[in-house]
Amino acid sequence: MKHPETVLEINLTDLTSNYTYLKNKIRPEVKMMAVVKAFGYGSDAVAVAKHLEALQIDYFAVAYAPEGVQLRRAGITTPILVLHPQPGNFELLLDYDLEPNLYSQRVLELFITKVKTAAKQAYPIHIKYNSGLNRIGFSDAEIPVVLEHLCNAQEVKVVSLLSHLAASEEHEERAFTLEQIARFTKFSEQIIAKIGYTPLMHCTNTSGILNYPEAHFSMVRCGIGLYGFGNDAVYDKNLFPIASLRSVISQIHELTPGDSVGYNRTFVADKPMRSATIPLGHADGIGRQYGQGKGFVMINGNRAYILGNVCMDMIMVDVTDIDCEEGTRVVLFGKDMPADVLAGTTGSISYELITGVSARVIRQIVD
Ligand SMILES: *Cc1c(COP(=O)(O)O)cnc(C)c1O
């Protein structure tokens, strides 16, 4: 398909701008880890990683091992942290030089056993501390067990100590966040005192980088910021959404009062109207929750709201008062209409909308 009508355009120049902006927020000696999980937040993980590697990013993070394998197969040589390594994927980690984030006694022991069997030495690992998110991570009570393994196993070497903030974008949760940072600092000090070397330390995601400069330690983990969202209007004006979802109008219908639009006839015109059909639907990542007048698309600078139900492959929008014709370009989100605005119409967030653009939508890379 040379000219697909529905496209997710990925702008690498904007990625460079976001990277530069975020890089300027950290001290020169602090390393930056780019989080490229979930297909680079729904964009194109390989294109994004290659671009950031050329900009000399220090580290990558993915959620699951197969995501790291995809990057290695594409030629990425920068270290890759796997945030949620699963014992069933340990073989893949070793085969593709991927570094596990170990978070419990069970996975730590299983991984050490695996490395021993493979006869590897000083395999890079990362140790995750649960400072309050209560998702994955070691607790304070487990510190002795962690230390026992780390001090006795020559097979592994701790590259970093990390934790994850629960509410780095919530200003009302500042006290809790500072407590998390203090707990992580104390945990790290105890580990470092015993293992006799100093691994990297990191606990900030994008909002953590922007709101807690005192918590950058020796590395930061940046996801959504690189893709153009700062979770706060103050930062959003300096960041550019790199992904833009657009399409075209397939057909326009003139509706007379009483005409219904779409499945189950949930929308019925009560006046003469015009509807436009757009070739993308819930199978492309625009969920049914955007239907019934909640979500909209941008046509010539105007919001055209979705009429009735979102179909699998199409949506119909209200263009009664909008100057447009069949073939007119339509934007769902991008630089001029950030994804968090459309997501917000259904109580969702940028993260969910951008990572949900399905594989069916052609990605077009613009440099
Ligand atoms: C996804 C993730 C990040 C990135 O968070 P952003 O808010 O997108 O910057 C960082 N750390 C961990 C552990 C994550 O799971």
Side-chain angles (χ1 to χ4, degrees):
M1 240 196 306
K2 273 248 175 61
H3 300 289
E5 294 189 340
T6 299
V7 183
L8 186 72
E9 189 179 286
I10 315 299
N11 189 313
L12 298 177
T13 308
D14 290 332
L15 176 61
T16 304
S17 307
N18 298 337
Y19 168 82
T20 307
Y21 175 75
L22 292 157
K23 193 85 180 144
N24 283 328
K25 292 282 174 192
I26 63 179
R27 301 187 311 280
E29 68 274 21
V30 173
K31 291 182 191 293
M32 192 189 283
M33 170 182 274
V35 182
V36 293
K37 62 192 178 189
F39 301 107
Y41 285 48
S43 64
D44 180 326
V46 168
V48 165
K50 283 193 167 165
H51 192 77
L52 292 170
E53 191 164 76
L55 293 171
Q56 293 175 327
I57 194 85
D58 300 291
Y59 243 98
F60 286 115
V62 293
Y64 298 106
E67 299 177 318
V69 171
Q70 192 202 10
L71 297 181
R72 286 281 182 256
R73 286 191 174 149
I76 296 293
T77 56
T78 302
I80 301 173
L81 164 64
V82 177
L83 293 165
H84 201 154
Q86 296 157 309
N89 284 333
F90 284 173
E91 200 81 42
L92 274 184
L93 296 181
L94 298 187
D95 287 350
Y96 287 88
D97 259 318
L98 304 171
E99 306 175 4
N101 177 33
L102 301 174
Y103 57 87
S104 72
Q105 186 177 348
R106 179 180 68 97
V107 294
L108 177 61
E109 288 172 356
L110 285 171
F111 191 73
I112 290 174
T113 306
K114 190 81 189 173
V115 176
K116 273 193 179 137
T117 312
K120 302 241 183 196
Q121 287 292 308
Y123 196 92
I125 62 167
H126 303 253
I127 298 291
K128 178 75 170 280
Y129 174 61
N130 174 18
S131 58
L133 178 60
N134 290 314
R135 191 167 71 177
I136 54 173
F138 285 102
S139 63
D140 285 317
E142 293 170 298
I143 293 176
V145 171
V146 175
L147 281 172
E148 193 191 310
H149 283 297
L150 297 186
C151 297
N152 295 321
Q154 308 304 302
E155 295 81 11
V156 293
K157 181 166 167 93
V158 183
V159 180
S160 87
L161 302 171
L162 68 149
S163 192
H164 197 33
L165 301 175
S168 58
E169 73 268 46
E170 301 286 353
H171 299 296
E172 316 83 80
E173 295 292 353
R174 194 168 176 85
F176 182 83
T177 305
L178 292 173
E179 204 178 302
Q180 276 196 284
I181 295 164
R183 283 196 206 120
F184 172 57
T185 306
K186 195 170 154 223
F187 167 84
S188 302
E189 283 167 0
Q190 290 177 72
I191 301 287
I192 291 167
K194 286 275 164 45
I195 59 175
Y197 56 92
T198 306
L200 291 168
M201 284 172 64
H202 46 114
C203 75
T204 48
N205 61 347
T206 298
S207 289
I209 295 169
L210 298 169
N211 296 328
Y212 296 91
E214 67 272 41
H216 290 176
F217 296 102
S218 44
M219 185 153 73
V220 296
R221 297 190 301 272
C222 196
I224 200 84
L226 289 169
Y227 304 96
F229 299 89
N231 301 334
D232 191 322
V234 175
Y235 305 122
D236 280 341
K237 63 179 192 296
N238 301 307
L239 295 165
F240 306 102
I242 72 161
S244 162
L245 180 60
R246 56 182 166 77
S247 190
V248 296
I249 296 175
S250 301
Q251 190 176 19
I252 289 181
H253 294 289
E254 302 290 339
L255 307 173
T256 52
D259 283 348
S260 61
V261 178
Y263 286 130
N264 312 107
R265 309 193 60 220
T266 57
F267 179 82
V268 179
D270 61 357
K271 57 177 189 205
M273 292 181 73
R274 284 204 316 157
S275 71
T277 302
I278 320 293
L280 104 187
H282 63 72
D284 301 287
I286 303 300
R288 283 184 105 241
Q289 65 274 24
Y290 290 97
Q292 319 301 349
K294 283 213 172 104
F296 59 86
V297 304
M298 296 301 291
I299 303 177
N300 287 328
N302 299 287
R303 289 187 184 196
Y305 284 87
I306 299 176
L307 297 170
N309 281 321
V310 170
C311 309
M312 187 185 296
D313 315 308
M314 280 170 262
I315 51 175
M316 281 71 87
V317 300
D318 180 3
V319 294
T320 308
D321 301 315
I322 299 174
D323 180 24
C324 60
E325 56 192 300
E326 295 179 357
T328 297
R329 187 183 159 107
V330 166
V331 173
L332 281 97
F333 59 76
K335 246 197 250 194
D336 298 329
M337 180 44 68
D340 53 321
V341 178
L342 177 56
T345 62
T346 63
S348 182
I349 53 174
S350 60
Y351 293 80
E352 186 182 21
L353 184 57
I354 64 174
T355 59
V357 178
S358 79
R360 183 164 76 175
V361 177
I362 306 286
R363 269 65 174 167
Q364 243 169 32
I365 311 295
V366 181
D367 208 340

